[in-house]
Amino acid sequence: MFSYCTDPSTLEGFSWLSCYLTTGKHMGFYASFLTVIVLLLITAPVALMFGFAGAAAARSRFLPLSLLGKTYTAIVRGVPDIAFFMFFVIALDQAFEYLRHKVKCPDWSEPIRQGSDFVVCTQAKLPLSTSPQWMHEAYGFSLAVLTFAIVFGAFAANVLYGAMRAVPRAQLETAEAYGMNQRQTFWRILVPQMWIYALPGLSNLWMILVKATPLLFLLGVEDIVYWAKELGGLKTARFTEYPHGNWHAIYFFALLVFYLMLTSISERVFKRISRRLSHGQATAAGEAQRKAAQ
Amino acid sequence: MKKLILSTAALAVTAGFAMADNHGKTVRLGTEGAYAPWNFVNDAGEIDGFERELGDELCKRAEMTCEWVKNEWDSIIPNLVSGNYDAIIAGMSITDERDEVIDFTQPYTPPDPSAYLAMSTDVDPASAVVAAQATTIQAAFVAQQGWTLVEFPTPEETVAAVKSGEADAVLADKSFLDTMVGSDGLVMLERMEAIGGGVGMGFRESDADMRDMFDKAIQSMKDDGTLNELIAKWEVSSQF
């Protein structure tokens, strides 16, 4: 990176460190922090949407819909994350390719399943094998987002389902007494009031999601834990210009600081949201706010 | 008439494909990137090592464009079979079990013994705790002997386990352990195990054409001696 970095073996102290920390490898490490944060920021709202849909479906009076919602939460919550990531993602990818194969290559005569192989025509490959590496990475990334959203959506669905039932029945009765129909009661009375009950559960889920990102490497997405492992490992002079011993402790300490910072920021945000949601609610926190304002 | 035009067009397209089949075709090579000197990530963050050079040369000879993909060892075969990349080139020994799921080219290194690394030379593997990387021939060997086995997902962790005392010895390819000998008092045991049938590239069983192409390229590198040069340069194994 810097002009004096051409022969690191002659460098010492700060100049060595400045060269070491700006190698291409370290740039990959820094970029992976961004990957993780972007993943979290996209996954959280998508998972919440899945959760909301799941909870609303589970509450439905239409039996098939309610069964669908309940099955989704029950099954997905029961399957270990790692199994989900190993098999579900591959299945999902194959399902996409199968559909494209059916559309794009109707004349294909060979079987798609050949032993353990999954063979579709080249035009149906996702992404095309000719497309550049970043396309493959983007595709892996979006599969990761989708899988995380489905897994965490199931947990969120259960949290929201509980929260919807925690809203005092009197509130809904009052809404009905005012002549609101079911849809109006749901959207105007139930949904705005349920968040305060859902928040502790959702904040737990967020924390778990923050720590679940190492699963990304199973999908070929290089996350911060992968890079910390790779960079911290013993490096002998034969394979690198920056030989060093086992520095795992240092790199994992950096990760610890990152995760603690993320946690502390999230705590603050959740506190703020909680204060805002408590406003005017029939809960202890809402009551305290009301008294303080008097 | 329309049909005729269509089929001619189709013929032309397929003919075009047949001619351009090799040239410029992209092959995605999957590797682990954590097994020096075979494959590792260099300072620039790129895949480097014996297999990087070998793979690039093979692609040149087969007139294809190669793209390198990193993948965890544990899921390296499932991801090949499901089509995330087209070949495995990751120091993978040719075994019957693997051969049932994927197809191998001819070996590009001769079968070499596996070695033990321990903190002292008087460790007897039979009565010791032996570390090995999960789903490797070494792990299978230790399990078969009925010895105490601890498995780790990456090669480096197996060595770290010996240093920390969690395991008494680590069994792995000799060339990999050679890079670790001497650091923190690690010594190599005299005992070696002759396991594995050489290292080859892995392909999907349905990709016979591509496998043959790489097989031919490996043969040509064997014939003109460049393969031996590469092996000597990276000190990965004995020569052909």
Side-chain angles (χ1 to χ4, degrees):
Chain A
M1 178 114 184
F2 304 110
S3 54
Y4 54 84
C5 290
T6 41
D7 187 10
S9 54
T10 60
L11 297 174
E12 262 177 50
F14 179 75
S15 49
W16 184 86
L17 199 65
S18 66
C19 290
Y20 175 67
L21 289 178
T22 50
T23 54
K25 223 175 179 180
H26 276 84
M27 292 300 163
F29 180 47
Y30 307 141
S32 66
F33 281 92
L34 213 65
T35 313
V36 166
I37 289 172
V38 171
L39 178 96
L40 289 174
L41 291 181
I42 299 178
T43 307
V46 180
L48 202 58
M49 261 160 48
F50 272 78
F52 191 84
R59 257 185 110 259
S60 161
R61 292 196 185 160
F62 181 55
L63 187 67
L65 201 60
S66 135
L67 277 181
L68 185 77
K70 284 179 179 155
T71 320
Y72 164 56
T73 49
I75 290 183
V76 176
R77 284 188 311 147
V79 177
D81 286 2
I82 193 152
F84 215 83
F85 265 79
M86 288 282 285
F87 300 108
F88 177 77
V89 176
I90 288 178
L92 193 70
D93 178 43
Q94 292 186 347
F96 287 150
E97 287 186 350
Y98 179 79
L99 289 179
R100 278 168 62 94
H101 177 81
K102 284 283 162 208
V103 174
K104 299 207 166 192
C105 313
D107 309 329
W108 190 266
S109 56
E110 288 171 52
I112 290 182
R113 286 239 159 255
Q114 296 179 15
S116 55
D117 293 5
F118 180 82
V119 186
V120 292
C121 59
T122 37
Q123 298 95 304
K125 279 262 174 221
L126 253 183
L128 296 173
S129 54
T130 50
S131 44
Q133 178 61 14
W134 71 265
M135 289 269 281
H136 286 268
E137 273 164 23
Y139 180 67
F141 184 83
S142 25
L143 275 186
V145 168
L146 188 57
T147 318
F148 267 124
I150 290 173
V151 174
F152 282 84
F155 288 94
N158 210 35
V159 168
L160 293 179
Y161 183 69
M164 286 174 183
R165 296 175 64 131
V167 173
R169 175 80 194 121
Q171 296 281 335
L172 308 183
E173 264 169 22
T174 312
E176 278 156 22
Y178 270 91
M180 288 191 192
N181 62 25
Q182 245 183 27
R183 173 170 295 214
Q184 286 171 324
T185 315
F186 181 76
W187 286 108
R188 296 184 188 180
I189 307 296
L190 185 71
V191 171
Q193 291 195 55
M194 72 168 190
W195 294 111
I196 188 66
Y197 301 103
L199 202 60
L202 291 181
S203 82
N204 275 349
L205 280 182
W206 165 260
M207 293 299 175
I208 297 171
L209 177 65
V210 165
K211 291 177 292 179
T213 53
L215 286 172
L216 282 176
F217 192 54
L218 286 177
L219 304 179
V221 181
E222 287 151 5
D223 90 310
I224 47 179
V225 177
Y226 162 76
W227 277 116
K229 262 191 198 161
E230 167 60 41
L231 290 164
L234 174 86
K235 297 280 177 298
T236 48
R238 214 176 121 200
F239 305 118
T240 172
E241 297 193 314
Y242 304 89
H244 59 75
N246 189 327
W247 284 2
H248 275 142
I250 302 171
Y251 279 96
F252 282 109
F253 184 75
L255 289 197
L256 180 81
V257 172
F258 170 73
Y259 278 124
L260 284 181
M261 262 167 47
L262 206 59
T263 313
S264 121
I265 294 170
S266 320
E267 286 275 294
R268 257 176 270 172
V269 171
F270 274 113
K271 211 176 242 174
R272 185 169 287 186
I273 298 176
S274 164
R275 201 179 316 141
R276 177 166 283 191
L277 287 177
S278 297
H279 190 73
Q281 296 281 346
T283 58
E287 187 64 16
Q289 274 184 4
R290 192 181 64 78
K291 283 214 174 111
Q294 268 179 351
Chain B
M1 186 62 197
K2 205 171 173 189
K3 217 173 194 173
L4 194 73
I5 295 174
L6 255 178
S7 52
T8 344
L11 205 72
V13 168
T14 43
F17 266 124
M19 275 201 293
D21 199 16
N22 270 352
H23 214 78
K25 195 179 166 191
T26 318
V27 180
R28 291 164 54 77
L29 302 177
T31 193
E32 186 191 11
Y35 202 56
W38 296 82
N39 55 74
F40 61 94
V41 182
N42 65 12
D43 290 332
E46 288 159 358
I47 304 280
D48 204 338
F50 167 68
E51 280 167 333
R52 172 68 202 248
E53 258 187 69
L54 174 72
D56 283 347
E57 179 63 28
L58 290 177
C59 290
K60 212 162 85 192
R61 290 185 186 216
E63 296 187 326
M64 292 193 234
T65 330
C66 280
E67 193 122 28
W68 289 85
V69 186
K70 243 180 288 174
N71 199 91
E72 209 169 34
W73 176 258
D74 259 354
S75 56
I76 206 162
I77 290 183
N79 272 331
L80 170 75
V81 171
S82 73
N84 285 5
Y85 35 81
D86 305 309
I88 297 174
I89 172 161
M92 187 178 272
S93 301
I94 301 168
T95 65
D96 293 341
E97 275 167 29
R98 290 179 183 144
D99 212 6
E100 276 171 25
V101 189
I102 58 177
D103 268 352
F104 283 101
T105 57
Q106 57 172 312
Y108 50 76
T109 64
D112 260 4
S114 299
Y116 296 94
L117 218 53
M119 296 305 278
S120 80
T121 45
D122 52 332
V123 172
D124 176 23
S127 59
V129 178
V130 182
Q133 188 181 12
T135 64
T136 56
I137 49 167
Q138 288 87 8
F141 173 79
V142 175
Q144 215 173 41
Q145 303 294 312
W147 303 342
T148 317
L149 167 72
V150 275
E151 290 181 299
F152 295 90
T154 62
E156 192 178 333
E157 283 165 277
T158 59
V159 178
V162 176
K163 285 187 197 167
S164 69
E166 198 180 333
D168 300 315
V170 46
L171 178 62
D173 287 335
K174 187 170 173 298
S175 56
F176 167 70
L177 294 180
D178 276 338
T179 68
M180 301 282 179
V181 167
S183 73
D184 299 319
L186 287 170
V187 288
M188 195 168 281
L189 303 188
E190 268 178 33
R191 177 172 180 162
M192 305 260 174
E193 311 291 351
I195 43 179
V199 170
M201 283 176 82
F203 288 87
R204 280 183 292 274
E205 296 198 317
S206 50
D207 259 352
D209 292 346
M210 204 193 288
R211 191 193 67 117
D212 291 344
M213 245 154 359
F214 275 91
D215 208 53
K216 251 182 244 154
I218 291 174
Q219 189 57 50
S220 82
M221 282 187 76
K222 274 184 183 171
D223 292 344
D224 65 13
T226 40
L227 186 56
N228 275 339
E229 276 168 35
L230 262 190
I231 290 175
K233 179 185 170 194
W234 289 98
E235 299 172 14
V236 286
S237 68
S238 56
Q239 301 188 6
F240 281 102

